[in-house]
Amino acid sequence: MSRFAKQSELGVSHARRGRPKMTATGEMDEISLTDLSRHNTKTDCWIAVHSKVWDITDFISEHPGGPSVLLKCAGSNATEIFDKVHAPDILEELPEDKLVGILKDATPDVPAAASQPSGQNGVATQPAEIALGSSVEQGDTGIPPLEAILSAPDLELVASKALTPKTWAFYSSAATDLITHRKNKELVRRIMIRPRILRNVTRVDFRTSILGFESAAPFFISPAAMAKLISSNASYTLKSIVSAAPPTQPFFFQLYINSERHKTVAILRSAKKLGIKAVFVTVDAPVPGKREADERAAQAGTIRSAISGGESSRDRKGSGLGRLMARYIDKSITWEDLTWIRGASGVPLVLKGVQTADDVRLAVEYGVDGVLLSNHGGRSLDGSQASILVLLELREQCPEVFDKLEVYIDGGFERGSDVLKAVALGATAVGVGRPFLYSLVYGQEGVEHLSQILKDEIETSMRLCGITSLSQATPAMVNTLDVDYLVMSGEQARPKTPLRKRRAKL
């Protein structure tokens, strides 16, 4: 299965240069806490993280979370605060000459276990009170063993109990009245399957290809921010993520365009050197949607971005993490900008967040390699149409686009049968987001467990449908009559003649 590498928002674009300061014997300088404390201003700022002392003066103005976050830690051992929002190796992206030395008499670091539910990050400590093999029901108060998790909805229920209120609010929230968020799931479920019988389904193969790379299944883990809130195995640098995988593992890179575009160019060039195979440019969130549950949770106390380290503001617009994370995003991106983005990346380009057939046609005109039909999980514009309706709109208005680029979709897909419906309607693969975030309550084992659940459900659904390969999944396999009346036809999508304004009578 192909993997996404979430864009690092640290924003470091320096070239590696120089070497750390050494003693005459070739060892790194030792820095005392007293010496460290003297470097505590905007023009002279040092911090210690995991026994290493760094000069971050030049980086203060570039920090996406703002300078105040770094200045609060200036001249001190910032390990505890740093570990809450960043992976240990992210400072290694700074130039080598910014490594000042080793903190003298530093307390040895004690790594926390990352794979089990605990009180760290955004996971609240709770007893495992549900017996192995029992169902997960609304009245349960504990975290069940992983073996008791039978579906993605089970994981959502567990996460609602296990996560802290702030973390749960960020992950589960959607824009304003949650209309789009709810419709995503509801309308997928209203599409029915038309099984065929008396077919040999002994062997089933659900492998597929995404942008020319083989995938073990027709789904992928949608890129999502701030998994660090649950698991310490998150928010690592792109280099660390790619290096940890087998050489044959393809990675796709999700990108937000930085308002300082030279930083985006530097990130894309770095990604290309690391062997990233495609770039998914997020185009549906020039500004964050109004996520009221997230904003209400923020009112209970200061929230710090687990990516940039920035702190939430307090004003009448709310103070949610969504707003905090969007500070650096370029709001002026247009279709013409795809040229320099493609030039900087040198790899296939996919637009993430396309929501109309009109824009898919434009994507074809601009030579885009793929589109991800998505409304950000209902987190951007509430009232935007459900993703599955956009897929049906393509089939209604411009079915030829399926031969010109690859079409992916996310939003409301929780079951293997949901994935199969989308594939039957022309999707190359389906993104699954929140369920995998919820699975992080159990760490890596939870992610692997959910992946296997979805694979098993796809295999079972294919056998019950009477097909043995995804190429046999066609529109004839599904009944969409219950939602067809909601799909925009080509005639309906044409520009309407504006009504004449009546002249006021004197």
Side-chain angles (χ1 to χ4, degrees), residues 134 142 154 248 259 270 277 323 413 434 460 462:
S134 64
D154 283 356
T248 56
S259 55
S270 175
K277 303 303 183 184
R323 288 183 58 213
F413 295 88
R434 283 185 178 92
T460 299
M462 289 177 66

Side-chain angles (χ1 to χ4, degrees), residues 135-407:
S135 62
V136 182
E137 298 179 353
Q138 193 64 44
D140 296 328
T141 58
I143 299 176
L146 185 57
E147 293 81 0
I149 301 300
L150 304 180
S151 66
D154 283 356
L155 285 166
E156 180 176 2
L157 181 57
V158 169
S160 70
K161 301 174 182 179
L163 301 182
T164 63
K166 290 179 183 178
T167 301
W168 172 251
F170 176 71
Y171 285 146
S172 64
S173 67
T176 53
D177 297 313
L178 284 70
I179 295 170
T180 298
H181 172 57
R182 290 168 178 155
K183 288 294 182 182
N184 275 340
K185 185 188 301 186
E186 175 194 335
L187 296 185
V188 169
R189 300 297 170 83
R190 283 171 59 181
I191 293 175
M192 299 290 104
I193 297 175
R194 304 177 64 242
R196 300 299 301 273
I197 61 172
L198 296 177
R199 296 184 174 187
N200 186 347
V201 291
T202 304
R203 295 182 179 179
V204 170
D205 183 2
F206 48 78
R207 290 175 298 173
T208 190
S209 174
I210 301 176
L211 292 174
F213 298 95
E214 184 174 308
S215 178
F219 67 87
F220 54 86
I221 302 174
S222 287
M226 302 183 68
K228 183 77 171 179
L229 285 175
I230 301 180
S231 172
S232 58
N233 284 333
S235 299
Y236 277 79
T237 62
L238 182 60
K239 182 178 180 180
S240 297
I241 295 170
V242 173
S243 300
T248 56
Q249 173 66 56
F251 281 94
F252 302 149
F253 183 59
Q254 187 220 3
L255 177 74
Y256 283 91
I257 306 299
N258 196 307
S259 55
E260 297 181 63
R261 295 190 180 182
H262 68 278
K263 293 183 179 179
T264 296
V265 171
I267 289 172
L268 287 172
R269 288 175 177 169
S270 175
K272 182 179 180 181
K273 289 181 181 178
L274 290 171
I276 294 296
K277 303 303 183 184
V279 172
F280 281 57
V281 183
T282 302
V283 294
D284 63 341
V287 296
K290 185 185 180 188
R291 305 167 195 169
E292 294 174 1
D294 181 24
E295 292 175 358
R296 289 191 181 99
Q299 292 171 3
T302 299
I303 286 185
R304 181 179 287 113
S305 169
I307 298 175
S308 69
E311 291 184 353
S312 58
S313 61
R314 294 185 178 280
D315 53 35
R316 294 180 181 179
K317 295 180 180 179
S319 53
L321 280 170
R323 288 183 58 213
L324 174 61
M325 293 166 55
R327 291 176 178 175
Y328 74 100
I329 296 175
D330 193 336
K331 302 173 182 62
S332 65
I333 293 296
T334 67
W335 288 96
E336 283 66 33
D337 290 304
L338 297 180
T339 301
W340 68 261
I341 295 171
R342 184 188 293 276
S345 67
V347 296
L349 205 62
V350 177
L351 300 185
K352 176 184 179 292
V354 181
Q355 300 174 71
T356 64
D358 293 328
D359 281 337
V360 175
R361 290 192 191 97
L362 280 173
V364 171
E365 290 181 20
Y366 279 85
V368 170
D369 300 280
V371 291
L372 173 51
L373 309 181
S374 173
N375 48 50
H376 231 85
R379 293 164 70 82
S380 287
L381 177 62
D382 195 26
S384 58
Q385 60 182 350
S387 298
I388 194 67
L389 293 183
V390 184
L391 183 60
L392 291 169
E393 187 175 299
L394 299 190
R395 299 213 63 85
E396 168 69 22
Q397 294 188 30
C398 51
E400 69 278 1
V401 300
F402 290 97
D403 296 324
K404 298 178 180 179
L405 45 65
E406 292 192 357
V407 176

